[in-house]
Amino acid sequence: MDGLNVSIAFFLLVVGVCQVLRWLSKRLLPPGTHGCLAREFAGSFQLCTSCLELRMLMEMGPWSGGFGLDVVLTLLFLLSAVHGASLDGASANPTVSLQEFLLLESSLAATAGKLLAQAVGAGTGWALTRLYWAWELTQLHFIQNLLAPECSSSIRASLPHAACVEGSCSFLLHLVLLRVRQSHPLYRVPALAVTVTFLTYTAGPFTGAFFNPALATATTFHCSGSSFWDYIQVYWLGPLAGMLAALLLFQGNIPRLFQKNLLYSQKSKYKVPKAKVTAQVEGDKPQRKKKAGKSSSEPRA
């Protein structure tokens, strides 16, 4: 269990360093720069390093570390909750940033800056994690350092099946995200953590369950076994299609592209007060009767 303790210390160190980076950027940088660059860089760096170390535990732990999948899934849930609580509004996911752009919540320049920061953060996280493994602090890291140059593709299904799996994971994640994004963090963070854990458990054997293009690019694109175009289809186009489907299903339209609601009929804001109209109609009857009575009571010639 020494290897597990070292990994937990590594997780805590990464989160602490990223929190310091967020604090410094908030104090020293303008709000726009902090929102578009620093937060996304720190979030992607934190997410990538944690994912790489967790995947190492998942692959090496059962036969070398003495712990099983239950421990790894527990760590995944806790890390997902910590990420959700500490990202400070950053998405650390290109499909989420594109979703914000399509919802008219972010400009084109801000979205491009976020995507660039996410790519740099994920790449930096991959490089520093490889350097950390090279220190070989535990037996798990020693084995991982030996096997890292010979890594194989995470796609363990046919190409259409793998793309469908990543797209379905992205679809479910974005549906939950759209549903709870205005909720209190006390409810939003556990809901997203449970969703990520469930999707990783179910889709992991087929594609590794990344549903994050930046994370997948830094983690598995350099591995042999699949072509670059295969990776693009599974880890970029699949999650993007899932995000678009979730947004269309939830909103009924895509505000950046068209305003017309294609799925749900929009009711008019102004309703005719039927009760008053009925009352007026019924109220007219006595008046008509009175008029009729008057006409009948008039003296006849």
Side-chain angles (χ1 to χ4, degrees):
M1 298 296 287
D2 292 338
L4 182 60
N5 294 332
V6 172
S7 295
I8 293 175
F10 175 73
F11 293 142
L12 296 176
L13 177 63
V14 168
V15 173
V17 169
C18 290
Q19 283 296 96
V20 172
L21 179 61
R22 294 185 187 97
W23 181 80
L24 289 176
S25 64
K26 190 177 293 185
R27 293 287 299 271
L28 301 177
L29 298 178
T33 307
H34 171 259
C36 293
L37 300 178
R39 285 191 305 176
E40 294 294 341
F41 173 84
S44 295
F45 175 82
Q46 177 178 320
L47 188 63
C48 183
T49 51
S50 301
C51 176
L52 287 170
E53 184 72 5
L54 194 61
R55 284 175 61 84
M56 185 273 299
L57 292 177
M58 185 178 297
E59 294 173 357
M60 305 295 174
W63 60 274
S64 181
F67 51 88
L69 186 61
D70 54 342
V71 176
V72 178
L73 290 177
T74 302
L75 281 176
L76 175 61
F77 172 78
L78 294 176
L79 285 173
S80 299
V82 170
H83 290 327
S86 64
L87 288 182
D88 192 24
S91 63
N93 189 333
T95 59
V96 178
S97 298
L98 290 174
Q99 174 184 279
E100 295 172 353
F101 172 73
L102 294 175
L103 286 172
L104 305 177
E105 297 176 354
S106 179
S107 65
L108 179 61
T111 303
K114 290 178 181 180
L115 297 179
L116 179 61
Q118 290 164 4
V120 175
T124 305
W126 174 82
L128 291 183
T129 304
R130 291 288 298 272
L131 179 62
Y132 159 69
W133 287 342
W135 293 346
E136 299 179 356
L137 299 179
T138 66
Q139 183 182 5
L140 296 176
H141 294 147
F142 172 73
I143 300 173
Q144 177 63 33
N145 194 40
L146 291 177
L147 298 178
E150 304 297 332
C151 66
S152 58
S153 172
S154 298
I155 302 176
R156 305 182 186 92
S158 64
L159 199 61
H161 185 197
C164 184
V165 168
E166 284 291 310
S168 300
C169 290
S170 178
F171 173 77
L172 292 175
L173 176 66
H174 281 275
L175 272 185
V176 175
L177 185 62
L178 288 167
R179 180 65 182 84
V180 304
R181 61 177 179 158
Q182 300 297 336
S183 303
H184 192 275
L186 187 63
Y187 307 105
R188 182 178 69 251
V189 171
L192 291 174
V194 169
T195 303
V196 170
T197 305
F198 170 75
L199 293 177
T200 302
Y201 174 73
T202 55
F206 303 103
T207 62
F210 292 102
F211 42 89
N212 184 328
L215 184 61
T217 302
T219 304
T220 193
F221 268 44
H222 62 281
C223 295
S224 60
S226 298
S227 66
F228 181 75
W229 177 240
D230 292 343
Y231 287 130
I232 292 293
Q233 293 180 74
V234 174
Y235 296 116
W236 287 11
L237 299 183
L240 181 60
M243 180 272 291
L244 292 174
L247 183 59
L248 186 61
L249 179 63
F250 187 83
Q251 291 279 125
N253 68 337
I254 299 178
R256 179 70 66 174
L257 302 180
F258 49 85
Q259 296 294 329
K260 183 179 180 180
N261 198 307
L262 302 179
L263 300 180
Y264 311 112
S265 59
Q266 295 180 343
K267 297 181 179 179
S268 175
K269 296 181 180 180
Y270 306 100
K271 297 182 178 180
V272 179
K274 297 181 179 179
K276 294 182 179 180
V277 173
T278 305
Q280 291 177 359
V281 172
E282 292 177 352
D284 290 342
K285 294 181 179 179
Q287 295 179 1
R288 294 176 182 176
K289 290 180 178 180
K290 289 180 180 180
K291 290 181 180 179
K294 290 181 179 179
S295 60
S296 61
S297 62
E298 290 180 356
R300 297 179 179 176

